[in-house]
Amino acid sequence: MQSTGLVRTVFFVSDSTGTTAETFGNSILAQFDLTIKRVRKPFVNDLQKAEELIDEINRISANGADRPIVFSTLVNLEIGRVINEKAHALVLDMIAMFLNPLEKELGIKSHHRVGRYSDISQNKAYADRIEAINYSLSHDDGQTNRDLAQSDVILIGVSRSGKTPTSLYLAMQHGLKVSNYPLIPEDFERMQLPPALVPYKHKLFGLTIDPARLSQIRNERRPHSHYASLENCRKEVAAAESMMRRSDVRWLSTTHKSIEEISATILQEIKPEKLN
């Protein structure tokens, strides 16, 4: 698809962190071929901040640019109303879009509560997520074999195949305790899984990657090394994939997949209840 040359300023506005507005907005915008100037506006939680935002939006419109697009997850009805009325923009109010039909369907009013965690100190899900992040950090890259029984998932694969970012995403977004373990030449020489992982084979999930892409990634870290050479990457990837097939470990290639796609596949295979 050729670029249309369109450039639009897009605001992601929220009275909380803005993560939902940005995630949903970017998913929608990905369907269009245009260049986007993103402006993040979290914690717009009073009328003064709303007026400052409106001034910024209207200055862009007044300068002759196409009117901005606003993805809003403002729960405060008054602030949302002011922005809808005064901003010279296409305002997409994602809260109203879903809350209003749900209120009619359910026959009850929503709480209009800002943020998912109205009281962080009392929220067990949040505390569990922090514990999962700490666990995953301490079990990154085979740092320790202690407490592997607590792992929800144990990722294996050659160095730089995507284990660490996937581990942290699963911990932060889904509250999973994730260990990850690099497969190294010593493992390939023995042609067996690392002994510490064998009792937890049912928790293992393998990540592999195209050798050329792996070589490119490794060269960014250790250029012109044996570690990063294409020949070595081919040998390691082939040995790792052979080991995973022989050990009946589920695995996928990360080469053309986002962290979100990789994580969704792992959840579907190992923790399907976390997809609900």
Side-chain angles (χ1 to χ4, degrees), residues 7 40 82 131 220 269:
V7 180
R40 299 168 181 84
V82 169
E131 183 181 350
E220 293 172 359
E269 290 286 335

Side-chain angles (χ1 to χ4, degrees), residues 10-13 18-32 34 36 38 69-73 92 94 98:
V10 178
F11 287 80
F12 302 98
V13 179
T19 301
T20 301
E22 191 166 3
T23 301
F24 187 81
N26 281 326
S27 297
I28 297 298
L29 293 169
Q31 308 305 314
F32 299 92
L34 75 165
I36 300 165
R38 292 173 170 81
I69 298 168
V70 176
F71 287 94
S72 167
T73 53
L92 302 173
M94 291 183 283
F98 294 103

